[in-house]
Amino acid sequence: MRVNRILLSSSLVVVALVIQVSVLARLHLPGAVPDLLLLTVLGLALVYGHVGGSLVGFAAGLLADLAPPADHAVGRYALVLCVVGYLAGLVKPESGQVRSATGPMAVVVAAAIGTTLLYAGVGALVGDTAARNVGLGGLLLSAALYDLLLAPFVVPGVMALARRAENDPLAENSSAKSGDVASGWSASGTGLRIGAPRGLRAKAARARVARAGRIKGVKRL
């Protein structure tokens, strides 16, 4: 991975983990905890592809395994996020731009469910049955719901930062609307190509033509 990718990914992963452990985990919501770390990995994987996504996922999961108050085997979440990051990177758009929010939303739901199932499956292999005691069905539903609600405020911003770090020309228009991530998610899926409405551009073009016509008329007189 490039140096700028490593620096950006490391910063985003650390910030996401700190917020998840110190804020989201203390909300005591029913069921699962909103997985900000997973959403960060998904946003980076959709820009970096399957190789970068798997590397970021492994590093993020390993950091979560080592960070307190983790009480599971080291490497468990690293394996899960590595697989999820790889699979998410496979659906990276070839053009580099997500045209609709439907695709990323489907990826978030699938990743939330897949992460919960993989985590529970790996736990069953090592003798951890905590997920079974809590109720796997409730965990799947709450994980998908929480991550889907949080995704519009995380994934587009992460993707925009990743593209800017890559000096991607698709990121040039993101600064104009960086404060309205949710509307960018609804409009284009990433908030990267949000310009002036077509009606305003057409009016501006007609105004320039009218001014040019008046100038020509004055010159003829």
Side-chain angles (χ1 to χ4, degrees), residues 78-185:
L79 174 61
V80 172
L81 285 188
C82 180
V83 173
V84 172
Y86 178 85
L87 295 177
L90 291 177
V91 299
K92 171 188 174 182
E94 295 181 359
S95 62
Q97 179 193 5
V98 179
R99 299 183 179 276
S100 172
T102 304
M105 289 172 65
V107 172
V108 169
V109 173
I113 296 175
T115 299
T116 305
L117 289 175
L118 283 173
Y119 188 81
V122 175
L125 292 176
V126 298
D128 186 355
T129 59
R132 184 185 307 173
N133 297 333
V134 174
L136 186 58
L139 287 177
L140 291 175
L141 181 61
S142 58
L145 178 61
Y146 295 153
D147 291 350
L148 189 60
L149 293 176
L150 188 61
F153 305 98
V154 178
V155 179
V158 171
M159 294 180 68
L161 289 174
R163 293 194 188 283
R164 186 171 295 277
E166 292 286 296
N167 295 321
D168 194 323
L170 290 176
E172 293 179 355
N173 294 331
S174 61
S175 59
K177 297 292 182 179
S178 58
D180 193 3
V181 176
S183 63
W185 174 276

